[in-house]
Amino acid sequence: MGVRQLEPKPKAHTTPLLNHSAAAGVGKGMQKTILLTAGALLLAGPARTLAQTTDPETGNQDSPFVRQIRPDRPGRTITTNMLRPGQAQVELGTTRFDGGSSWGYPGRSASAATLRVGFFNHIELRATQAYLHALPTRRGENGTIIRPAGPAGFAPLNVGAKFLASTVPNARSQVVVLFDVNLPNGDASFPDKTFEPGGRLLVSQQLGQRFGLEGNLGFRQRGFKAAGTKQGQYLTTLALNGPLGATPHFGFFAETYATWQRQQGWLPGLTSGLYWRPLPSLRLDLTAGHGLTPAAGGLTVGGGLSARVGK
């Protein structure tokens, strides 16, 4: 969303999407969560077979698309890129929401930092910490300091892991499964904090040696009870990224996305941006996005820095 951005929340919902259930109510409530997880794995199966049968790795590990840094930012699309064991990647970014926006945090800025670490057996561990900047205070007529209402400070921490579903790493067609959860911590100004489990199916197709098409299909719910699935949010994204010109240093990013929630319906939007990559393991980006409907929100602008260490 990354550095993954702080997940925007609609004005009608100021709380994260989760709630932790007691042991007595988990059994029945977990049924829907298990079915959703099983569905994602069933979708991963055919995609995994396609990636294996249509695209074995034939020296593709040396292509620029694989070798150069691919952050999980600046849009909502998370890449299929997985770090090797011993590699680590830091992704930093900030986003500014338009003051007249009907989505996110109007007139506010949010920053986020993601740490990704490559693990053995084609597993990548990750953690994202977002920070919502407070609005400036103002003085009342009698000189008293007035602090704006609403949450501010550190948001709930997101932790998760990527698992390679394809058997051939760095293939031109790649399938990865992501499981993560928002923890019920963070600043006390964020109300009704609770666990928010989520999952995504990540698919990518390399185009030539330097372009890539990536898509996500995800779901996040509030808590582990069946009632939490009714407040769950679906996400679908499709993104294209590639170079601008013959050099490997400049490139573009273009994304279309849509979320769906029972209370809100479909909220589509677009994100686009440019990046500069002075080194294969270092990238800076500038991005802008806008909702395609009034309910989907107004303009957002942002920028970020991503760096990778290790071989």
Side-chain angles (χ1 to χ4, degrees), residues 58-68 70 170-172 206 208-211:
T58 54
N60 194 58
Q61 68 273 12
D62 294 325
S63 68
F65 183 76
V66 171
R67 184 167 41 85
Q68 295 171 344
R70 286 166 59 202
N170 300 323
R172 295 176 62 85
Q206 183 178 327
Q209 292 293 305
R210 303 168 65 194
F211 290 84

Side-chain angles (χ1 to χ4, degrees), residues 258-307:
T259 64
W260 183 88
Q261 195 175 31
R262 178 177 298 183
Q263 296 88 344
Q264 304 162 11
W266 288 101
L267 298 176
L270 297 173
T271 309
S272 63
L274 301 173
Y275 63 80
W276 176 51
R277 190 164 43 206
L279 299 171
S281 59
L282 180 66
R283 197 179 90 168
L284 295 88
D285 62 71
L286 294 173
T287 184
H290 203 289
L292 296 181
T293 65
L299 177 69
T300 60
V301 294
L305 168 70
S306 304

Side-chain angles (χ1 to χ4, degrees), residues 1-2 4 71-73 75-81 126 162 178 180 200 202-203 214-216 237 255:
M1 107 245 254
R4 280 190 68 188
D72 287 344
R73 60 160 288 108
R76 301 200 185 188
T77 301
I78 295 180
T79 72
T80 59
N81 171 253
R126 55 193 289 118
K162 286 181 179 179
L178 167 69
D180 67 346
R200 295 196 192 194
L202 320 177
V203 181
E214 309 214 41
N216 289 183
T237 75
E255 171 194 66

Side-chain angles (χ1 to χ4, degrees), residues 34-300:
I34 292 173
L35 288 174
L36 290 168
T37 303
L41 294 176
L42 287 174
L43 285 172
R48 172 179 176 173
T49 302
L50 176 64
Q52 295 169 8
T53 57
T54 63
D55 193 8
E57 181 183 20
T58 54
N60 194 58
Q61 68 273 12
D62 294 325
S63 68
F65 183 76
V66 171
R67 184 167 41 85
Q68 295 171 344
I69 187 171
R70 286 166 59 202
D72 287 344
R73 60 160 288 108
R76 301 200 185 188
T77 301
I78 295 180
T79 72
T80 59
N81 171 253
M82 295 190 65
L83 301 180
R84 300 188 181 113
Q87 286 185 330
Q89 188 163 307
V90 176
E91 303 173 4
L92 309 174
T94 186
T95 300
R96 176 72 178 179
F97 297 92
D98 179 67
S101 176
S102 59
W103 178 263
Y105 301 94
R108 308 277 296 272
S109 296
S111 300
T114 295
L115 174 64
R116 300 168 52 191
V117 179
F119 202 64
F120 298 99
N121 297 322
H122 305 300
I123 298 174
E124 179 186 293
L125 305 179
R126 55 193 289 118
T128 298
Q129 178 63 68
Y131 184 89
L132 181 61
H133 300 274
L135 290 170
T137 58
R138 59 186 180 88
R139 290 187 177 275
E141 295 181 356
N142 56 359
T144 59
I145 296 177
I146 301 176
R147 300 184 183 278
F154 288 103
L157 178 69
N158 175 277
V159 295
K162 286 181 179 179
F163 300 89
L164 182 66
S166 307
T167 58
V168 181
N170 300 323
R172 295 176 62 85
S173 299
Q174 200 72 279
V175 181
V176 172
V177 177
L178 167 69
F179 294 106
D180 67 346
V181 61
N182 292 333
L183 303 180
N185 59 358
D187 192 89
S189 61
F190 287 87
D192 302 328
K193 295 186 293 289
T194 184
F195 290 97
E196 293 186 5
R200 295 196 192 194
L201 179 66
L202 320 177
V203 181
S204 69
Q205 176 61 53
Q206 183 178 327
L207 306 175
Q209 292 293 305
R210 303 168 65 194
F211 290 84
L213 189 66
E214 309 214 41
N216 289 183
L217 178 62
F219 176 78
R220 185 177 302 282
Q221 73 171 65
R222 182 176 176 80
F224 297 100
K225 293 184 178 180
T229 62
K230 297 180 181 179
Q231 298 180 355
Q233 184 181 77
Y234 293 87
L235 169 70
T236 178
T237 75
L238 183 64
L240 176 67
N241 63 84
L244 289 174
T247 70
H249 302 301
F250 292 95
F252 73 94
F253 169 89
E255 171 194 66
T256 179
Y257 64 85
T259 64
W260 183 88
Q261 195 175 31
R262 178 177 298 183
Q263 296 88 344
Q264 304 162 11
W266 288 101
L267 298 176
L270 297 173
T271 309
S272 63
L274 301 173
Y275 63 80
W276 176 51
R277 190 164 43 206
L279 299 171
S281 59
L282 180 66
R283 197 179 90 168
L284 295 88
D285 62 71
L286 294 173
T287 184
H290 203 289
L292 296 181
T293 65
L299 177 69
T300 60

